[in-house]
Amino acid sequence: MKNIVQRARKRIIHNQAEFGTKILGLPAVTKLLDETSEWDLSDVDLNLLLSKNNGITYDTTVFNETFNKTILITGAAGSVGSEIVRQILMYDPGKVILCDQAESQLHTMQIELENSNPGADTTFVICNIQNENRMRQIFKDTMPDMVFHAAAYKHVPMMEHNPTEAVLANVLGTKVLADLSVEFNVSKFIMLSTDKAIYPTNVMGASKRIAELYIQSMHMKGCHTKFIITRFGNVLGSSGSAVSLFKYQINCGGPVTVTHPLITRYFMTISEAVELVIKAGAIGNGGEIFISDMGEPVKILDLAHKMIELVGLIPDKDIKIIFTGLRPGEKLYEELVHGNEINIPTQDPKIKISTGGNCYKENIDKLIAELLNSVYGSNLEIVKKMKAIVPEYISQNSIYETLDPITEKVVV
């Protein structure tokens, strides 16, 4: 069916999955009739089960904000950063600077854009955002109008064992970019944050919360630069995501590993998340924390079941599911706002602004300086400093629980 609506597509997939049917997508009839065209049946994308979006919508507000502008994107070779690049190029910016320290991935992006956007003015820069002198030269050479800051370490268990790198990348890197944005009169700075920054239970989430606090403090200083924060949850198909892991495990014949039978997460497709980030950046006036509409949280166990069923197999019969226990720093469910924050609507029904949260600390500069001075000490010392900045940071399933007040803990 050429124009099948997504609701009908989901119903078909769900109904047939109950019978163990393997579901494949057929190319358009015009492609089937073209004898010169090569085509294959393709596995149905799991995004169809979880996505709420029917495609990227061209937005005139974004066009007005980005047309003919110089835009710097950090983490531009990553899953989300690269999609920011692709979508920004839809709006005919003057120049796009792709900044990343991953040489191979950045090279892959260069090849892709040379084929897909041969006329675009793009610059590919290999740099670690923590390197202030190098970043200053990049700002001086390119004079960006907007900065989309997507560079970050994001994997919870990995950062739990490497708090030094979490602080250096997520806190120091953000600070360097924010300070340089003010120094070089950048119009807008859009930081990508995470639901794990809300009541953090792990090093990664706490490091992103500290970065949020610093960005909010920059706004409170009344700078020319408009500082904007966007928060969203897990991104389907991003590197290291549950979907990627489950696909690999299913292809290997199982087992599929789920940490806990009750664990849930918010999910978006990469294109959905990035579309909302760019729109939030366009409508933001500075100081806002934009929350993307993530829909209802998804039980990871249900996600595993669906993925197994979509390839025509039966969970726990053809593919075994085993529970491995919560990983260090992991909690059962995520949140998008603090308890004292209130969401107010925007002109886009999929984007809300979080207000009323205590996202400003008068002495944040001093606290971050003390944190950065501790990064080459012991892990316990670093995390202790982080907890001093973020009092609501209570560790879960982690060696850092010894630093928390002795109270009866509730697993969340």
Side-chain angles (χ1 to χ4, degrees):
M1 297 172 63
K2 181 179 178 182
N3 296 315
I4 185 171
V5 296
Q6 189 166 346
R7 185 179 303 168
R9 187 188 296 266
K10 287 184 179 181
R11 186 174 65 249
I12 292 168
I13 292 172
H14 276 298
N15 290 344
Q16 293 304 312
E18 291 180 8
F19 299 101
T21 309
K22 182 169 183 177
I23 305 163
L24 299 170
L26 194 67
V29 173
T30 53
K31 193 170 183 180
L32 291 174
L33 295 176
D34 183 357
E35 294 181 359
T36 64
S37 176
E38 294 183 5
W39 56 270
D40 292 298
L41 294 173
S42 58
D43 289 336
V44 169
D45 194 338
L46 186 68
N47 294 352
L48 294 172
L49 292 177
L50 301 174
S51 173
K52 303 169 290 301
N53 197 355
N54 289 318
I56 300 168
T57 304
Y58 191 87
D59 191 287
T60 54
T61 304
V62 174
F63 173 79
N64 294 334
E65 197 70 22
T66 59
F67 174 69
N68 209 29
K69 299 287 180 63
T70 298
I71 299 174
L72 170 64
I73 301 168
T74 70
S79 304
V80 173
S82 62
E83 182 64 17
I84 294 176
V85 174
R86 296 182 190 100
Q87 291 194 27
I88 283 291
L89 286 172
M90 292 169 47
Y91 295 98
D92 297 320
K95 187 182 189 70
V96 176
I97 302 101
L98 292 80
C99 178
D100 206 297
Q101 64 175 335
E103 179 203 16
S104 296
Q105 291 92 322
L106 197 60
H107 179 253
T108 300
M109 277 298 295
Q110 183 174 9
I111 294 172
E112 175 190 325
L113 296 183
E114 285 173 351
N115 291 319
S116 62
N117 294 270
D121 188 350
T122 53
T123 300
F124 300 84
V125 178
I126 296 176
C127 181
N128 187 326
I129 60 171
Q130 303 163 35
N131 188 333
E132 184 174 358
N133 291 334
R134 171 82 170 114
M135 286 306 308
R136 177 174 283 106
Q137 189 62 48
I138 293 169
F139 272 75
K140 184 177 180 180
D141 290 342
T142 62
M143 297 300 293
D145 298 298
M146 299 178 70
V147 173
F148 284 90
H149 175 35
Y153 282 134
K154 65 177 185 177
H155 294 295
V156 169
M158 189 68 72
M159 291 303 100
E160 202 69 7
H161 298 295
N162 295 276
T164 293
E165 298 305 318
V167 170
L168 288 175
N170 297 351
V171 179
L172 175 60
T174 300
K175 182 180 186 301
V176 166
L177 292 167
D179 292 348
L180 289 173
S181 293
V182 173
E183 182 178 336
F184 287 91
N185 292 313
V186 170
S187 175
K188 284 189 175 181
F189 180 99
I190 300 97
M191 171 191 160
L192 278 65
S193 191
T194 170
D195 53 5
K196 294 172 181 61
I198 308 305
Y199 299 112
T201 59
N202 52 69
V203 167
M204 192 284 284
S207 68
K208 294 295 282 186
R209 179 59 175 167
I210 295 169
E212 284 188 358
L213 291 170
Y214 187 74
I215 294 302
Q216 286 285 286
S217 76
M218 295 296 283
H219 166 71
M220 296 297 290
K221 291 175 182 177
C223 306
H224 163 78
T225 304
K226 296 177 180 178
F227 286 95
I228 297 160
I229 296 170
T230 62
R231 277 191 206 138
F232 52 87
N234 295 268
V235 178
L236 279 172
S238 63
S239 59
S241 68
V243 170
S244 301
L245 174 63
F246 291 169
K247 281 183 178 179
Y248 172 77
Q249 291 174 332
I250 292 169
N251 286 339
C252 292
V256 167
T257 56
V258 177
T259 58
H260 193 284
L262 299 180
I263 193 168
T264 64
R265 288 293 181 265
Y266 289 100
F267 281 103
M268 301 182 83
T269 65
I270 294 176
S271 60
E272 281 179 318
V274 167
E275 183 179 14
L276 296 181
V277 165
I278 293 174
K279 285 184 178 180
I283 66 178
N285 291 312
E288 303 99 337
I289 299 178
F290 286 95
I291 310 295
S292 300
D293 177 13
M294 300 294 296
E296 295 300 318
V298 174
K299 186 181 284 190
I300 302 299
L301 180 58
D302 292 344
L303 180 63
H305 281 163
K306 289 175 183 176
M307 290 192 66
I308 294 170
E309 290 165 353
L310 281 177
V311 296
L313 300 174
I314 301 174
D316 288 320
K317 181 179 179 183
D318 299 316
I319 298 287
K320 188 174 179 59
I321 297 176
I322 61 174
F323 299 106
T324 57
L326 291 175
R327 297 173 298 175
E330 193 170 49
K331 52 184 175 180
L332 285 180
Y333 62 88
E334 307 284 6
E335 300 158 281
L336 287 170
V337 295
H338 281 84
N340 58 346
E341 291 180 346
I342 300 172
N343 284 348
I344 60 175
T346 68
Q347 61 196 54
D348 190 312
K350 296 178 182 177
I351 304 174
K352 292 181 173 59
I353 298 175
S354 174
T355 62
N358 181 20
C359 206
Y360 173 67
K361 281 183 177 289
E362 187 175 352
N363 60 340
I364 189 65
D365 290 328
K366 177 176 179 291
L367 291 170
I368 287 179
E370 292 174 353
L371 174 63
L372 294 175
N373 285 335
S374 73
V375 292
Y376 298 111
S378 69
N379 288 350
L380 284 172
E381 181 184 355
I382 298 167
V383 174
K384 185 176 181 180
K385 295 284 187 183
M386 297 177 77
K387 290 176 180 289
I389 301 174
V390 186
E392 69 271 25
Y393 168 24
I394 304 296
S395 297
Q396 296 243 358
N397 191 34
S398 170
I399 59 173
Y400 307 123
E401 291 181 50
T402 58
L403 299 172
D404 295 326
I406 301 176
T407 58
E408 184 176 349
K409 295 191 177 185
V410 178
V411 176
V412 296

